[in-house]
Structure formats: C-alpha cells, structure tokens
Amino acid sequence: MAKKILQYTIMGCAIAAVATTGMVSSCKKIPEGYISEQIRYVNDTFRVLRGTNWNSDPKAFELDGSNYPISVKLTEIRDLATGKATDVFSKKNKVYVWTALFDPANDTTVAMLNKKRELLEIPALQLMEKSGQLMFNEGTGNIPAGNYAFDVSVTNQSGTKTFKGISVIQLLDQAYRQEGAPGCAYFIDGTTTSGDMGSPSMTVKKISDEGYQVRIKITDKNGNAFNPKAGELIKRGDRPLFESYAKFHPVEYTDTTMVCNYEVTPFPLKEYPGYGYLMYYRIPSQFVKLDPGVAPTDEQKYNVNPRWTFRILVKGTFEVTFKLPKCTRKA
C-alpha cells in the first residue's frame, strides 16, 4: 500500500512539473522590438464627408501586441477607380485649425473665435505618427469624391513593415442635410385657428466654394420671393428663426433673401433648446393670398407660417430656397 502511495505521489509531482513548465512557456514575454504581421485598422473603410473636419478614433489602429514606441507613416494612396497612386491628399490648402477648445455656447464673436483657431497651409490628410490616427480637414473639399486605398509603414526597434491596402478612405459628397420634414400652415389673423397647407420644397444651390455664407429665399408657389427687408417675413412668437442660429454676424436682409455669414461648419452649429434646428416664420395676411379651397373661406385674413430645418456641412456660399405650396405673394 505504501509503495502505491509513493508511485502516485511521484506521478503527481511529474504532472505538476509538466503543467508548471507549460505555464511558464505560454506566458513567455514578447521580445522587445516585436512587430506583428497583423497590424490593422478596425475600420476597413473610413467614410468622410468632403470638405469637413473629421478624425478617426485613435483606438482604431490595432498593433496586435507590437512593442512601443512606434512610428507610423503614410506611404501611398491609390485611387481605386484607376488603381494609380495619387498625391491629392498631400497637397496643401489654407484651412482653419483649432488651437484651443472652442465652446459654441460662449465663443459667440469673431474675435473670440479667432483666439482659438489659426489659418494654416497643410495637407488635407494628416496621419499621427505615434498613434496611426487619421485627421481630415476642409481641404478634402478639393479632392474628387471616390474610394482611395492607402498603405502605411510601421517602425519600431525590430525594423519596419509595410501594410499594403490597410484600409480605404471613402470621400462622400454631402454639402448639406435636411434634418426633418418642413411644414407650412395658415392661421386666421389674431387666433390660434389653423390648417395644414402641405410641405414647402427645399432646393440648395452652391454658388461658390469660397466663404461661409448661406442665403435663404422664401417664395410662393410660382417662385416669387417674399421680401424680408419689407417685413413680409416676420418672427413667429418666441420660436427660433434663422437669426437664432447666427452666432458671429447679424443676419442681413435684402429684397429677396436673408443672408448669414456662419464662419464655422456645420451651420447651424448647435440645436436650439426644445426645437432642434427648426426655423419658424410668419407671412402676414396682407402679403399673401391662399389658393381657393385651402382655407374655409376666401377672406383675406389668413397668414402663412412656414417652418423648416437644414444644416450646411461644408464651407462655401449657398442659396437655400423654400417654395411654399398653395399660396401667392401679393404684388
């Protein structure tokens, strides 16, 4: 019996020794200078709106256990439509770069804004050497929309490895966005009695790639513009309007448009509490006539109340037109 116990004890010690040896082997320290063959971006495609500032997540670049410090460099970008290398992302453009934290709630003058930004001449894409993070700026507005594959090299103590086609940059065209469905209603003068008129149509025309300006034009069903300068478009109660979102310059009124120089994209920069990006207006009854059958009577006592939402996403000069349904401007 004692002999068997001794055999089991020796066998157990041998098993324990093998297990311990295995643990030590499996926890073997990665040698200094290790560089993995599996370095990658989590994103197989980075979707970027042309002409906007956008940064990838710093954690999107995975080293798969490779040792720090590292140096990441962009080696080549290819247009996937042609398969040829291109230098469009390395060409320099004059763009504003933030030098301090911008607070849209408090930084509401151009002087305050200019203390926190600087006009620099830099490439449309910069790759952060220590993290692999991609940083795009407004200069991408000068690059054609499309898909671009890119290669990077990664260097550490063990040497350098190049990763071909590590990801794709997809540049998308989207200069503006309509945030919600517009609407239009009539109200009987001096009352809350109202009726729906349907939705205005919205069209956006980019007049120039320069500047940061948006011009709003409100027309009747025939395309005749109401005159903001003459009081044909007025504020509706305590609801937000175009100028509620104009932080840096006052809105200018012409015979046909309302003009805002917005300075910073996107515009509007932030939501109006409780209303999102909505803008409300009222056209007094003396300036507008409803189509027959829209209101209960043909009396000229109905004012028209359009509302809309939109955001301009890139720099430039834009004309945004809202055509109102079922009404005509009085000459």
Side-chain angles (χ1 to χ4, degrees), residues 15-296:
I15 292 171
V18 170
T20 303
T21 303
M23 288 175 64
V24 170
S25 176
S26 64
C27 298
K28 187 177 180 181
K29 184 179 178 182
I30 295 174
E32 284 191 25
Y34 170 72
I35 184 167
S36 172
E37 297 282 355
Q38 305 301 320
I39 290 175
R40 69 187 188 98
Y41 281 98
V42 174
N43 312 71
D44 58 5
T45 302
F46 293 98
R47 293 172 178 83
V48 182
L49 297 183
R50 290 177 65 241
T52 64
N53 294 296
W54 187 83
N55 300 336
S56 68
D57 186 336
K59 297 179 181 179
F61 190 62
E62 291 193 344
L63 289 173
D64 188 42
S66 302
N67 291 135
Y68 286 98
I70 61 165
S71 172
V72 187
K73 293 184 179 179
L74 194 60
T75 55
E76 185 175 273
I77 299 180
R78 293 176 299 284
D79 186 339
L80 287 181
T82 63
K84 295 180 179 179
T86 178
D87 64 352
V88 289
F89 286 88
S90 60
K91 290 181 178 178
K92 294 184 177 181
N93 307 273
K94 286 185 177 181
V95 297
Y96 280 109
V97 175
W98 296 111
T99 57
L101 186 63
F102 170 67
D103 181 3
N106 297 311
D107 299 330
T108 56
T109 68
V110 175
M112 295 171 75
L113 180 65
N114 286 339
K115 288 181 179 179
K116 297 186 174 182
R117 66 179 184 175
E118 185 178 358
L119 189 63
L120 299 177
E121 194 167 2
I122 58 175
L125 167 62
Q126 293 177 294
L127 186 146
M128 298 297 98
E129 183 179 0
K130 302 302 181 185
S131 66
Q133 182 183 23
L134 303 175
M135 302 182 72
F136 299 87
N137 59 56
E138 291 180 345
T140 56
N142 299 320
I143 301 173
N147 296 302
Y148 301 86
F150 65 97
D151 311 334
V152 300
S153 67
V154 181
T155 301
N156 67 5
Q157 295 174 5
S158 72
T160 299
K161 288 184 180 179
T162 299
F163 297 86
K164 303 280 289 183
I166 193 168
S167 189
V168 171
I169 300 163
Q170 186 177 57
L171 276 188
L172 303 170
D173 257 328
Q174 190 176 8
Y176 67 93
R177 183 163 54 225
Q178 192 167 5
E179 293 290 341
C184 192
Y186 67 78
F187 279 76
I188 297 176
D189 290 342
T191 75
T192 58
T193 304
S194 65
D196 183 63
M197 294 175 59
S199 297
S201 63
M202 183 181 91
T203 57
V204 179
K205 179 182 178 182
K206 191 173 188 181
I207 297 170
S208 168
D209 290 331
E210 300 305 313
Y212 294 81
Q213 187 182 93
V214 58
R215 308 167 186 173
I216 292 183
K217 181 185 289 186
I218 313 301
T219 77
D220 65 10
K221 67 177 186 179
N222 299 314
N224 299 312
F226 290 96
N227 187 334
K229 196 173 181 179
E232 295 183 15
L233 292 163
I234 63 174
K235 186 174 182 178
R236 180 179 166 185
D238 61 353
R239 301 191 178 198
L241 65 166
F242 189 31
E243 62 192 45
S244 301
Y245 304 94
K247 297 298 183 181
F248 304 106
H249 300 278
V251 172
E252 300 174 24
Y253 297 94
T254 74
D255 292 343
T256 58
T257 58
M258 298 177 287
V259 182
C260 174
N261 290 292
Y262 53 90
E263 291 284 346
V264 177
T265 57
F267 174 82
L269 191 59
K270 58 181 295 188
E271 296 183 354
Y272 191 92
Y275 290 96
Y277 303 106
L278 275 165
M279 303 176 193
Y280 291 82
Y281 278 91
R282 173 162 289 161
I283 303 169
S285 59
Q286 64 264 37
F287 300 119
V288 64
K289 181 179 179 180
L290 301 185
D291 287 356
V294 174

